Amino acid sequence: MNGTSSAKFGSARSFGILLLLIGLLLAIALVSMNIGKMNLTPAEVLKVLIGQGTDKQNLIVFDFRLPRMTLAVLVGVGMSMAGAIMQTLLKNDLASPGTLGISSGSGLFVLLYITLFAAKGLFAPFLLPILAFAGGITAAGVIFLLAYRRGREISPTGLILTGVAVGSGYGALTLAITLKLDEKQYEFALRWQAGSLWGDDWKYISVLLPWIVLIGLYVIYKSRTLDTLNLGNNAASGLGVAIRREFIGLALAAVALSSGSVALGGNFFFVGMISPHIARRLVGSGHKAMLPISGLVGAIIILLADTIGRTVSFGADVPTGVIITVLVAPYFLYLLAKH
């Protein structure tokens, strides 16, 4: 009876926190929709949403603010869930698409495509997440090959250190390519590397939305498998989990989530690392609750940072990723000190 009551209490608490975070996300979204270089009152936003807005108001909401807000949420969910999966699979709290170098690999492929081929008219939105996924898989393959030692298990710490080194190599290659670009492409590349929600257009979002939703649902479906893998390989094997098959499938899902997010949102280094930690503090390590909570936390961080960047004057147009770094860097330093 005590176990059942405890489980019910935990489930109720998780559901309550889920509703609270959804409410917080909606509140930030409402504020974000009302303020900016062209302010709208809440009444004007409401008129737009019920179909009674003016052409100018409709343009501001549906063509500028709503797609950007939707992109911020999708990128936050994708990066955060990818980070949560990687931390579980590698059993290391510092694992994330950024620290493993996967984001750098995805970004290199996207940057090559946009700067070299899009200028020639060979551009299609649906290719972006696919190319980013190819770049992420390539980076992951290089990292695993370099970290592999025959007859020994791969060390999670060694894997992360290898990822940092490979990510630095990808970064150097990206920089070398960037220096050969024209002024407009160079500016885009710099902003992308700093973390910029550049793909805020419905044609891009229509590609990213099903990508994030379908893979996210698959990962949540695998919550129990992730819980079992979190117990350790020996325990998971004893409980009948096909460790290698599940590891590969979930790792591919994590790479796909982060790659799609990187393709349209740039490299938000800290989001994939910090959000799962906050989620665990809120609802524990059970993945059925932790994964969606982590996604919501990531969405809130990016949407809040983007809203601040659009409304507060810093004397320059500051990329969202820079503001995120300022917001979450103290917590990252705390994690480093803890380890």
Side-chain angles (χ1 to χ4, degrees), residues 40-316:
L40 294 176
T41 66
E44 289 173 333
V45 172
L46 181 61
K47 286 182 179 179
V48 171
L49 296 178
I50 62 176
Q52 297 180 3
T54 64
D55 291 341
K56 181 181 178 181
Q57 291 168 350
N58 289 335
L59 180 69
I60 293 172
V61 173
F62 290 120
D63 289 1
F64 294 118
R65 293 189 182 161
L66 196 56
R68 189 173 182 87
M69 290 160 51
T70 304
L71 179 63
V73 171
L74 291 175
V75 170
V77 170
M79 293 297 290
S80 301
M81 293 184 72
I85 298 165
M86 291 176 181
Q87 289 175 12
T88 296
L89 294 180
L90 299 180
K91 300 173 181 62
N92 191 302
D93 291 343
L94 297 180
S96 74
T99 54
L100 285 172
I102 293 171
S103 294
S104 299
S106 299
L108 176 62
F109 275 51
V110 171
L111 185 63
L112 282 171
Y113 179 66
I114 290 175
T115 57
L116 299 181
F117 296 102
K120 300 177 182 179
L122 303 174
F123 190 84
F126 68 86
L127 285 177
L128 284 172
I130 296 173
L131 283 170
F133 179 66
I137 286 294
T138 302
V142 171
I143 293 164
F144 273 93
L145 284 175
L146 292 175
Y148 176 75
R149 295 293 181 272
R150 188 172 182 178
R152 287 190 292 175
E153 287 191 6
I154 295 177
S155 165
T157 303
L159 198 63
I160 289 177
L161 291 174
T162 304
V164 171
V166 171
S168 299
Y170 272 108
L173 185 57
T174 300
L175 179 61
I177 295 171
T178 301
L179 294 174
K180 297 181 179 180
L181 303 176
D182 61 38
E183 184 177 350
K184 185 176 180 181
Q185 292 174 333
Y186 180 75
E187 182 182 355
F188 168 81
L190 287 182
R191 294 187 64 80
W192 179 91
Q193 290 170 346
S196 176
L197 295 168
W198 73 272
D200 54 347
D201 189 294
W202 289 118
K203 66 181 179 182
Y204 299 122
I205 294 169
S206 64
V207 175
L208 184 62
L209 178 62
W211 182 279
I212 297 294
V213 169
L214 293 175
I215 299 173
L217 289 174
Y218 165 76
V219 170
I220 293 174
Y221 172 73
K222 288 289 185 177
S223 295
R224 185 170 295 180
T225 301
L226 284 166
D227 288 340
T228 308
L229 290 173
N230 207 24
L231 299 174
N233 290 345
N234 291 334
S237 180
L239 292 171
V241 175
I243 295 175
R244 179 170 295 182
R245 185 185 68 195
E246 297 292 356
F247 184 96
I248 292 173
L250 289 165
L252 289 175
V255 172
L257 285 170
S258 65
S259 298
S261 303
V262 165
L264 300 180
N267 192 1
F268 295 103
F269 183 88
F270 287 109
V271 174
M273 183 191 301
I274 300 300
S275 299
H277 286 276
I278 298 174
R280 288 189 196 95
R281 287 185 174 274
L282 291 174
V283 295
S285 58
H287 288 80
K288 187 173 183 180
M290 191 269 284
L291 284 170
I293 294 296
S294 178
L296 280 171
V297 170
I300 288 170
I301 290 173
I302 295 184
L303 184 58
L304 177 62
D306 185 60
T307 303
I308 293 172
R310 288 193 300 103
T311 56
V312 179
S313 176
F314 294 98

